[in-house]
Amino acid sequence: MLRLTARDLTLDHGGPPVIGGLDLDVAPGELLAVVGPSGCGKSTLLRALAGLHPAAGGGLLADGRPVTGPSADRTLVFQDDGLLPWRSVRRNVELPLAIGRTPRRARELPVRRWLERVGLAPHADRLPRELSGGQRQRVQLARALVGAPRAVLLDEPFGALDAHTRTAMQQLLLEVRRAQPFTAVFVTHDVDEALLLGDRVAVLGGGALTAVHEVPATPGPALRDLILSQLA
């Protein structure tokens, strides 16, 4: 599990800063939920943590070492599942292991275990077009975790799902983290989702971190209302 740290971090897209002077620490094994209005830099922050967006100022650290590019220790999960349509469910899940040159025989057990864990073992040989939206997101989650990353960065992964499927995926994520803990940063527009999944909730706005809230075991409506007021 990684510790992720931002120190006086500034991010831009070649113009004015999207995020300026941000300080943030994500503890090993923590799930930090990040909420904020559209355009506040949530996705840019995730891409920077993944090593896909260079800092314009300050720095990012993973276990105290500068983040200078992508790493197998950190993986991204998107709202768009990004599955390769010509590869079966099994072959989509094994893709990180294949890219990492894990021998084919050594891929079989972890792929099978993750397909079982996300409930897709019976569909291992199907193509993505034969799956529902929720099933495709399960494939993406298994693909992200099969290589045992130490940090997972999730960019509104359940935002396009219907309410029932979204609830099922939230519960799956909670179960997966109990079985195999990892550090996570989870971007969402949904405050209820942030409070359900997060150990802490960070509020971004105006290019800055405006608040960070510890989430109690049973968060009440007062905390939800406070976060909503900070987003207004």
Side-chain angles (χ1 to χ4, degrees):
M1 295 181 284
L2 280 177
R3 178 178 294 277
L4 299 172
T5 308
R7 289 289 175 261
D8 196 26
L9 178 67
T10 297
L11 300 172
D12 63 26
H13 296 290
V18 177
I19 288 176
L22 182 140
D23 289 317
L24 184 65
D25 188 70
V26 186
E30 175 184 17
L31 190 150
L32 179 73
V34 180
V35 297
S38 296
C40 73
K42 301 186 301 296
S43 296
T44 304
L45 175 61
L46 275 194
R47 291 179 61 81
L49 288 168
L52 298 173
H53 190 105
L60 282 166
L61 305 174
D63 275 356
R65 296 184 294 274
V67 173
T68 57
S71 165
D73 276 346
R74 290 167 274 118
T75 189
L76 270 168
V77 177
F78 298 100
Q79 186 177 123
D80 177 3
D81 58 68
L83 301 180
L84 299 181
W86 60 88
R87 294 178 74 103
S88 67
V89 166
R90 186 196 320 276
R91 295 194 65 225
N92 264 288
V93 172
E94 76 171 7
L95 189 59
L97 302 178
I99 292 173
R101 299 186 178 180
T102 301
R104 181 175 292 275
R105 189 176 297 275
R107 301 176 209 165
E108 293 176 0
L109 181 58
V111 169
R112 183 168 68 249
R113 283 178 173 170
W114 274 107
L115 287 175
E116 290 171 354
R117 187 166 290 173
V118 301
L120 286 177
H123 307 302
D125 295 318
R126 291 189 178 184
L127 292 173
R129 67 172 180 268
E130 300 175 284
L131 305 177
S132 68
Q135 288 172 326
R136 289 195 296 271
Q137 283 295 57
R138 287 171 182 262
V139 177
Q140 181 180 201
L141 187 60
R143 181 179 63 184
L145 296 173
V146 71
R150 298 171 64 203
V152 182
L153 311 167
L154 302 106
D155 193 359
E156 298 192 69
F158 311 145
L161 303 177
D162 64 78
H164 175 76
T165 305
R166 185 171 188 156
T167 298
M169 288 301 300
Q170 290 166 349
Q171 291 303 317
L172 176 63
L173 181 59
L174 289 170
E175 292 167 9
V176 164
R177 289 192 66 241
R178 281 194 291 266
Q180 179 180 308
F182 49 83
T183 305
V185 181
F186 188 104
V187 162
T188 178
H189 277 95
D190 188 329
V191 173
D192 290 323
E193 182 172 66
L195 291 171
L196 173 67
L197 299 176
D199 300 302
R200 291 187 299 157
V201 176
V203 183
L204 282 182
L209 184 65
T210 59
V212 180
H213 301 280
E214 297 282 345
V215 179
T218 53
L223 179 55
R224 179 181 184 273
D225 290 346
L226 174 60
I227 294 172
L228 287 172
S229 72
Q230 292 168 338
L231 292 171

